[in-house]
Amino acid sequence: PKLKKLLEQRAEMGGGKRPVDFGFAEALAFGTLLRQGVPVRLTGQDSRRGTFNQRHAALVDTETEAEYVPLEHAGEDQAHCEIYNSTLSEAGVLGFEYGYSRDYPEALVLWEAQFGDFANGAQIIIDQFISAGEDKWDLPSGVVLLLPHGHEGQGPEHSSARIERFLQLAAEDNIQVSQPSTAAQYFHLLRRQALRPWRKPLVVFTPKSMLRHPDAASPVQEFSRRRFLTVIPDAEIEHARRILVCSGKIGHELRRERRRRKDTETAIVLLEQMYPFPQDELAAAIQRHRAAREVVWVQEEPANMGALFYVLPLLERVAHGLPVRSVKRSASASPATGSAKAHELEQKTLLTLAFTTGKS
């Protein structure tokens, strides 16, 4: 009964009657690629269903236990599709997928961590092969890491995909690091990865609560635009005095807070790709607001985590002399608090500081 309703909703999404959510956007990306002759392979813990009940790539008859994978029937001449659940042996599984991406560069090969933190168990593969393989051995790979990330009031092991670690590994255009904020952005990012004539590993910080949130859903028309946007400028505010730059879920929360405050002087710019850093696109988004007096980097992660240390000097370079400051949680030994009440208080404080002039 649950899947019947899900499929009815997806039919409405495809017909333009309902905005498209992340789960269906991913299915559309996979399906269109398969019909274009690009093989798709996805593995991970509970990936067939999706950890957050968002994918349902395999439909199971509750009475006969027969399985049906819709993406295996996208078209008569489609490419091969493989979607498997894997064991909790992250290093072994990711190592296999890295090797698979090397042998089949024409395929879109993805590995998904159940929570982003679970990539810790595969860190040796990330350090030794994914980030350094091309530089050490001239062996390019297009493997994709899907790492659920976001501070939702859950425990420390379910909050952070360790953005800071991947940005520290990023150099010489060795990897791509992205955090798409909408379903359409995710769709275009996956297609870009598969259709480019060259191969680089892609790290995607995927959402959790935003998987079904209306703010992250996209009208079906956005799926026909030409490309993934590395930066999303603010289209609502024209003469901002403060520019907030952020990535991921916090961007949607800042927009809701701006509406609540009826604020007309704060622009919110979304950084969708962190590496390679889209310097020209971000500079253009900032220059749209000639009256701006400051630029603020806002992140929900603690000060010693997230993209802060990586982004801040780059932001100062493109701010054209404007003061640059940051809003973030205090430095912490743990990625997140284990208390829902403490998390809620911290999040409210973050939003307040972001809209307060000169407070870091």
Side-chain angles (χ1 to χ4, degrees):
K2 178 190 288 187
L3 296 189
K4 183 175 183 293
K5 184 177 181 181
L6 172 85
L7 295 174
E8 289 172 351
Q9 291 176 347
R10 289 189 171 181
E12 292 177 358
M13 292 176 190
K17 297 178 182 178
R18 177 191 290 262
V20 177
D21 63 17
F22 261 82
F24 192 43
E26 182 185 77
L28 289 172
F30 290 167
T32 53
L33 288 170
L34 290 167
R35 290 181 63 128
Q36 286 179 261
V38 178
V40 174
R41 176 181 170 86
L42 168 65
T43 62
Q45 302 106 350
D46 203 13
S47 287
R48 301 189 93 185
R49 181 193 66 149
T51 297
F52 308 100
N53 227 35
Q54 85 279 11
R55 182 171 292 121
H56 295 291
L59 310 180
V60 182
D61 189 307
T62 56
E63 295 182 2
T64 67
E65 296 188 9
E67 292 188 357
Y68 179 78
V69 179
L71 287 168
E72 293 178 356
H73 307 274
E76 290 184 6
D77 299 319
Q78 72 168 75
H80 191 51
C81 177
E82 298 176 289
I83 301 177
Y84 297 123
N85 290 334
S86 70
T87 62
L88 291 170
S89 302
E90 288 86 358
V93 178
L94 182 55
F96 185 90
E97 301 310 329
Y98 169 79
Y100 195 101
S101 73
R102 285 281 312 120
D103 283 351
Y104 296 93
E106 71 276 14
L108 179 65
V109 181
L110 312 99
W111 173 75
E112 182 177 59
Q114 194 158 33
F115 286 86
D117 311 66
F118 288 21
N120 288 338
Q123 198 68 46
I124 190 169
I125 303 297
I126 296 165
D127 291 347
Q128 297 290 95
F129 297 93
I130 291 175
S131 65
E134 185 174 2
D135 193 39
K136 291 194 291 188
W137 308 302
D138 196 22
L139 297 177
S141 164
V143 70
V144 180
L145 277 62
L146 303 179
L147 308 178
H149 176 88
H151 289 241
E152 320 271 6
Q154 296 173 312
E157 269 58 69
H158 295 120
S159 297
S160 175
R162 296 289 189 177
I163 291 175
E164 65 280 358
R165 293 182 183 175
F166 290 96
L167 292 176
Q168 188 178 33
L169 291 171
E172 299 181 300
D173 293 328
N174 62 330
I175 59 175
Q176 305 163 88
V177 180
S178 297
Q179 187 167 205
S181 62
T182 68
Q185 279 284 91
Y186 183 45
F187 168 86
H188 289 294
L189 177 63
L190 292 177
R191 286 182 51 81
R192 183 185 78 170
Q193 178 70 2
L195 297 176
R196 275 179 165 172
W198 42 266
R199 294 290 174 258
K200 296 281 183 180
L202 170 64
V203 181
V204 186
F205 299 109
T206 56
K208 295 182 289 183
S209 67
M210 300 307 295
L211 286 169
R212 297 178 182 82
H213 200 286
D215 291 348
S218 301
V220 73
Q221 292 83 0
E222 288 193 20
F223 291 80
S224 60
R225 64 172 155 82
R226 294 187 62 183
R227 61 186 179 89
F228 171 74
L229 303 175
T230 56
V231 172
I232 299 181
D234 196 319
E236 296 181 31
I237 304 297
E238 293 185 0
H239 305 291
R241 298 184 65 81
R242 179 189 301 107
I243 302 172
L244 307 182
V245 182
C246 57
S247 182
K249 175 174 70 72
I250 192 71
H252 296 294
E253 295 177 339
L254 289 168
R255 285 175 172 173
R256 289 198 297 274
E257 179 69 11
R258 182 175 65 183
R259 288 195 294 269
R260 189 188 71 81
R261 291 170 173 261
K262 296 181 173 59
D263 185 305
T264 59
E265 296 189 336
T266 303
I268 300 169
V269 177
L270 295 173
L271 182 63
E272 303 281 293
Q273 177 177 289
M274 299 177 191
Y275 188 85
F277 189 72
Q279 182 169 312
D280 293 343
E281 292 85 348
L282 188 54
I286 291 173
Q287 289 172 20
R288 293 173 63 166
H289 305 282
R290 301 290 183 181
R293 294 291 178 264
E294 65 174 349
V295 177
V296 186
W297 170 255
V298 185
Q299 69 175 41
E300 54 187 357
E301 299 84 9
N304 57 325
M305 302 178 195
L308 177 66
F309 291 143
Y310 165 80
V311 165
L312 221 54
L314 295 170
L315 204 51
E316 289 171 350
R317 188 181 303 170
V318 301
H320 295 282
L322 291 175
V324 177
R325 62 184 180 90
S326 60
V327 173
K328 67 282 180 185
R329 280 176 165 80
S330 299
S332 171
S334 171
T337 177
S339 164
K341 288 184 178 180
H343 165 81
E344 185 178 355
L345 180 60
E346 290 173 354
Q347 206 73 357
K348 285 182 178 179
T349 303
L350 270 179
L351 296 175
T352 300
L353 290 174
F355 287 90
T356 305
T357 304
K359 299 290 184 180
S360 299

